[in-house]
Amino acid sequence: LNRAAEAIEPLRVATGSTQTDVAAAARWYLAVALARAGQPDAAAHEVRSLCDSGGTAAARACPALKALDERRR
């Protein structure tokens, strides 16, 4: 809906959820919002966190991190 910048703060809050699945999903969508809002370094930081977690989110985060790194070069 082209409102990525508006989504950043609520998603940051959601990353603090005590429900790990909710927090991981929020971190993923935060990374997407940051990337779409023109903040690729911040997006990469969030994706790297998911990739390093080794959880179920890592399966999509690690390839996404590689793609983000290639775009930033």
Side-chain angles (χ1 to χ4, degrees), residues 58-70:
R60 70 176 170 180
C62 294
L65 180 59
K66 183 179 178 183
L68 274 171
D69 285 344
E70 289 173 0

Side-chain angles (χ1 to χ4, degrees), residues 37-55:
Q39 300 178 46
D41 292 338
H45 174 78
E46 299 299 334
V47 175
R48 184 172 290 108
S49 175
L50 287 169
C51 182
D52 291 346
S53 74

